[in-house]
């Protein structure tokens, strides 16, 4: 498709590095010249391309993304691959801090017969997640609070893509993120690990929701990895770190031990 010079030029002048590619996407999405003009104006004003289009590509899926909702990052596909490799058919999966539900949708597509639940505190994100994960298993609330009590001790895969940017570093993020994504989806507190600690901590945290042998996976940064691993270990999980050089992604993985007591061996998740 030929890209009008005027469209690409407007985007290029606004600082869009891939102006021609973005122009093609906007042209394919717009239904009228007026709508194209409005969309180009939104993008030139700094709105993330995915929010302008209304979708983001993630693990080969089109994930609905509305203005003001965290945009799924490509590096998070590494977390999905790690989780899918650990999950068995029919696994109970929870996408915590789900945002638009990209991780949950990708795992639902990758794991045969998976029972996927998702939760987020942001109502706009929950509305998107309910489009990406139809079936009535998306809940609004803080961390575990809105999840059905019947999931406790049954979760095989707990994917928690928590915010992990230290508060003092929010100002260094790209303007698109600072201005158009919710701070609650970015700000991880003083050292970036406040939310991860809440997810992991104690019987009310991951160990109480995971099945024996179940896994918690959370994205973090390379420099935070050792502290994140320690946070999971303190919570009673066996922890390790996985890295992808290609995607520049780091994931901390914690496993609830399968305990042996009184001669009875606990059965791992299936």
């Amino acid at each position: 498709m030929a890209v009008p010079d005027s469209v690409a030029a407007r985007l290029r002048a606004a600082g869009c590095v891939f102006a021609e590619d973005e122009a093609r996407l906007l042209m394919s999405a717009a239904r009228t010249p007026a709508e194209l003009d409005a969309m180009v104006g939104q993008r030139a004003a700094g709105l993330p391309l995915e929010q302008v289009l209304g979708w983001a590509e993630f693990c080969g899926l089109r994930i609905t993304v509305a203005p003001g909702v965290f945009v799924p990052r490509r590096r998070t596909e590494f977390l999905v691959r790690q989780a899918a490799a650990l999950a068995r058919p029919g696994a109970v999966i929870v996408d915590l801090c789900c945002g638009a539900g990209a991780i949950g949708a990708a795992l639902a597509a990758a794991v045969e017969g998976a029972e996927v639940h998702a939760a987020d505190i942001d109502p706009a994100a929950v509305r998107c997640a309910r489009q990406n994960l139809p079936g009535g298993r998306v809940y609004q609330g803080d961390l575990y609070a809105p999840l059905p009590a019947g999931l406790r001790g049954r979760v095989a895969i707990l994917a928690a893509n928590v915010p992990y940017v230290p508060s003092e570093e929010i100002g260094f993020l790209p303007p698109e993120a600072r201005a158009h994504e919710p701070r609650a989806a970015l700000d991880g507190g003083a050292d970036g690990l406040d939310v991860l600690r809440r997810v992991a901590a104690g019987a009310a945290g991951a160990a109480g929701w995971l099945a024996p042998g179940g896994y918690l996976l959370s994205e973090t940064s390379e420099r935070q990895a050792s502290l994140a691993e320690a946070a999971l270990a303190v919570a009673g999980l066996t922890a390790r770190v996985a890295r992808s050089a290609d995607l520049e992604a780091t994931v901390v993985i914690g496993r609830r031990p399968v305990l042996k007591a009184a001669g009875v061996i606990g059965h791992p998740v299936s």
Side-chain angles (χ1 to χ4, degrees), residues 82-150:
Q82 294 293 306
L86 295 170
R88 298 179 182 178
V92 176
I93 296 172
V94 170
D95 182 1
L96 204 62
C97 301
C98 70
I103 292 174
L107 288 174
V111 181
E112 181 182 355
E115 177 186 329
V116 179
H117 300 257
D120 198 281
I121 198 169
D122 178 26
V126 167
R127 286 193 292 271
C128 288
R130 286 176 175 158
Q131 296 180 61
N132 295 317
L133 280 166
R137 291 174 176 164
V138 179
Y139 319 98
Q140 183 183 338
D142 184 36
L143 299 184
Y144 302 103
L147 294 177

Side-chain angles (χ1 to χ4, degrees), residues 51 68 78 137 145 198 258:
Q51 292 180 3
F78 180 63
R137 291 174 176 164
R198 289 183 58 214
V258 180

Side-chain angles (χ1 to χ4, degrees), residues 8-246:
R10 284 178 65 187
L11 296 173
R12 197 178 301 109
C16 299
V17 176
F18 303 104
E20 286 77 12
D21 292 338
E22 293 193 10
R24 289 188 184 91
L25 287 168
L26 293 172
M27 289 175 60
S28 67
R31 292 165 293 187
T32 66
E35 186 175 27
L36 175 61
D37 183 68
M39 293 172 76
V40 172
Q42 289 178 316
R43 180 62 182 131
L47 200 69
L49 176 65
E50 295 84 358
Q51 292 180 3
V52 177
L53 294 171
W55 58 269
E57 184 177 350
F58 185 80
C59 290
L61 304 174
R62 280 197 175 188
I63 301 297
T64 297
V65 178
V69 173
F70 182 80
V71 176
R73 290 357 184 213
R74 183 168 177 263
R75 63 174 173 268
T76 306
E77 294 182 1
F78 180 63
L79 187 153
V80 171
R81 294 205 296 263
Q82 294 293 306
L86 295 170
R88 298 179 182 178
V92 176
I93 296 172
V94 170
D95 182 1
L96 204 62
C97 301
C98 70
I103 292 174
L107 288 174
V111 181
E112 181 182 355
E115 177 186 329
V116 179
H117 300 257
D120 198 281
I121 198 169
D122 178 26
V126 167
R127 286 193 292 271
C128 288
R130 286 176 175 158
Q131 296 180 61
N132 295 317
L133 280 166
R137 291 174 176 164
V138 179
Y139 319 98
Q140 183 183 338
D142 184 36
L143 299 184
Y144 302 103
L147 294 177
L151 290 178
R152 288 188 62 86
R154 295 184 52 233
V155 179
I157 300 291
L158 175 58
N161 193 24
V162 301
Y164 58 87
V165 180
S167 301
E168 292 186 352
E169 297 180 17
I170 294 292
F172 300 116
L173 292 175
E176 289 183 3
R178 295 199 314 268
H180 299 289
E181 293 182 318
R183 186 175 179 111
L186 303 169
D187 192 340
D191 66 354
L193 298 175
D194 283 1
V195 183
L196 178 60
R197 291 189 183 97
R198 289 183 58 214
V199 168
W209 289 87
L210 289 172
Y215 294 91
L216 164 65
L217 300 94
S218 189
E219 188 174 282
T220 189
S221 70
E222 177 72 21
R223 63 186 173 87
Q224 292 167 310
S226 60
L227 290 176
E229 187 177 12
L232 300 197
V234 167
L237 304 178
T238 302
R240 61 183 174 89
V241 174
R243 296 178 174 87
S244 167
D246 291 342

